[in-house]
Amino acid sequence: MDTSTEMTAENEGREAQIDEIHILIFSVMEIRFGVDMEQIREVVDPEYIDDDGINIIPFHEKFPFPGRQVTYQVPRILCLKDEVRIMVDEVEEVRTLPIDCIRPLPDFLEKCREPNAIWGAALVGDEIILLLDFLR
Amino acid sequence: MSPQGKKGKSQKILDKVKEQQDRDQIVNVDEEEIKLVIFTLHEDFFAFYSSNIKEILTLEKINFVPGSPEYILGISNVRGDIESVMNINGFLGFPPQPESKENRVIIATAQGIRSGILVGSVEDVLDVPKSTIKSPLSTLHDNIRPFVIGEMEYKDHNVTVLNVDHIFERIAVKE
């Protein structure tokens, strides 16, 4: 077995061990979203954000809500590890979810929607949390 | 009077009429029945062939998914599975379905697509002889015509029978 094959096998072995995910949960327009905590550097109140020239992107500019007037009741800035800042609403909690509560989006929906960072949905009780991967 | 063993004209006519009646009855017995799901959109009655229908559900919370096309209302949690829910009103030239406690989600499959369809209410599920479904009215609006199989009467209502395959085919083209 050559080195690259060994590394691939090792990576696959490591990935197979993922059995839970730590997500930060927030809402926009009463829809709950979750993002892997590994992608978040910090969460900041907009009043205390450093004015260092880095743009703040409102969530709805990356993820359109056609026909709806998007408002933010308790805005917070997600500072991602790759220096991207996204304004979201009502950051609720960090939760650990077992991966067996995660479902892919229906194939049909995946085919007909614009590709974006929403990669699946977590079922928590009767609630659905849309999962985001800002690196996707 | 006719000689014995030889049928008179009237008897021949009667025999022929009875033969025709028997044939009609045989046709009726053998006529294919179709199971339909009758539902409403606004005040109008429609039906799908039940062969395309997997479930009929009460309306649970629908979660909008940003980036979805206009006809996708979102996703819903159906006993631990995620189903998409669409609004076909736009395809048929109707305004969006107003929310009511009578709303139902019909889970349909066709063209390799499985999705929920939001309807105003589900009125009935019944078997009808295929012959009760007549050709569509020539006055049908162009928006709806491509999706129509035919028309029938149900409790004094005109029911437009829709072809789920054609609706999903249109969506597949949009994809």
Side-chain angles (χ1 to χ4, degrees):
Chain A
M1 187 186 284
D2 66 21
T3 315
S4 61
T5 312
E6 282 175 16
M7 285 178 66
T8 307
E10 190 182 323
N11 287 340
E12 282 174 357
R14 196 178 300 142
E15 283 170 11
Q17 289 170 13
I18 299 173
D19 52 10
E20 59 186 27
I21 182 171
H22 304 280
I23 60 167
L24 175 80
I25 299 173
F26 60 90
S27 297
V28 177
M29 299 293 282
E30 298 182 350
I31 300 168
R32 297 175 86 201
F33 297 90
V35 60
D36 190 345
M37 278 298 291
E38 286 182 8
Q39 294 185 9
I40 307 288
R41 186 162 53 81
E42 60 179 337
V43 179
V44 185
D45 187 317
E47 287 185 23
Y48 302 109
I49 196 84
D50 292 335
D51 185 14
D52 52 11
I54 298 176
N55 271 346
I56 296 172
I57 306 165
F59 185 82
H60 68 277
E61 284 188 9
K62 273 185 93 70
F63 305 97
F65 292 66
R68 302 188 194 190
Q69 182 71 37
V70 178
T71 56
Y72 296 81
Q73 305 302 319
V74 190
R76 291 288 181 271
I77 309 299
L78 300 188
C79 301
L80 306 183
K81 286 184 175 167
D82 59 355
E83 298 300 319
V84 173
R85 290 175 180 169
I86 297 175
M87 183 168 72
V88 301
D89 202 11
E90 299 187 42
V91 172
E92 294 174 19
E93 59 179 332
V94 175
R95 189 182 272 217
T96 301
L97 296 178
I99 60 167
D100 60 11
C101 76
I102 294 173
R103 303 283 183 276
L105 296 179
D107 285 345
F108 159 55
L109 184 61
E110 284 290 57
K111 284 178 190 164
C112 67
R113 75 191 180 98
E114 294 294 323
N116 62 28
I118 301 170
W119 60 275
L123 302 179
V124 180
D126 292 335
E127 289 285 313
I128 291 178
I129 299 170
L130 295 177
L131 299 172
L132 296 165
D133 177 355
F134 289 115
L135 305 178
R136 200 181 187 215
Chain B
M1 201 160 169
S2 304
Q4 200 173 13
K6 194 175 178 191
K7 289 180 179 176
K9 188 178 178 184
S10 58
Q11 188 57 48
K12 284 180 182 172
I13 291 172
L14 272 177
D15 287 349
K16 198 170 181 180
V17 169
K18 283 180 181 171
E19 197 178 302
Q20 184 60 45
Q21 282 178 336
D22 288 346
R23 204 178 297 137
D24 286 347
Q25 280 175 356
I26 290 166
V27 168
N28 283 336
V29 166
D30 289 347
E31 189 179 357
E32 186 184 350
E33 290 216 324
I34 291 175
K35 192 180 282 293
L36 296 174
V37 176
I38 297 181
F39 62 93
T40 63
L41 293 175
H42 292 270
E43 303 302 316
D44 292 296
F45 280 62
F46 294 92
F48 288 141
Y49 285 176
S50 76
S51 53
N52 291 111
I53 307 307
K54 298 300 167 195
E55 285 190 77
I56 298 168
L57 307 168
T58 52
L59 183 61
E60 300 293 335
K61 185 181 176 190
I62 298 174
N63 289 253
F64 174 71
V65 179
S68 301
E70 199 179 350
Y71 54 86
I72 299 289
L73 296 169
I75 56 175
S76 192
N77 177 358
V78 179
R79 296 186 303 276
D81 281 320
I82 301 282
E83 299 279 5
S84 55
V85 181
M86 70 169 78
N87 165 21
I88 61 168
N89 291 36
F91 289 106
L92 306 178
F94 283 89
Q97 194 62 41
E99 268 193 35
S100 102
K101 63 179 179 13
E102 302 298 323
N103 286 161
R104 294 290 181 272
V105 174
I106 297 176
I107 305 288
T109 60
Q111 298 289 320
I113 293 172
R114 176 187 169 106
S115 180
I117 296 171
L118 178 67
V119 299
S121 65
V122 169
E123 296 295 319
D124 208 343
V125 178
L126 78 169
D127 293 308
V128 298
K130 197 171 182 180
S131 62
T132 58
I133 301 173
K134 310 295 182 195
S135 299
L137 299 173
S138 58
T139 52
L140 269 180
H141 195 279
D142 286 346
N143 281 348
I144 198 170
R145 182 179 298 281
F147 310 117
V148 174
I149 293 169
E151 311 261 343
M152 58 171 278
E153 290 294 315
Y154 169 78
K155 294 182 180 174
D156 296 333
H157 294 283
N158 184 63
V159 177
T160 304
V161 183
L162 297 173
N163 188 326
V164 180
D165 276 278
H166 289 179
I167 294 172
F168 282 8
E169 194 174 49
R170 174 71 65 88
I171 290 164
V173 169
K174 276 179 175 274
E175 287 174 14

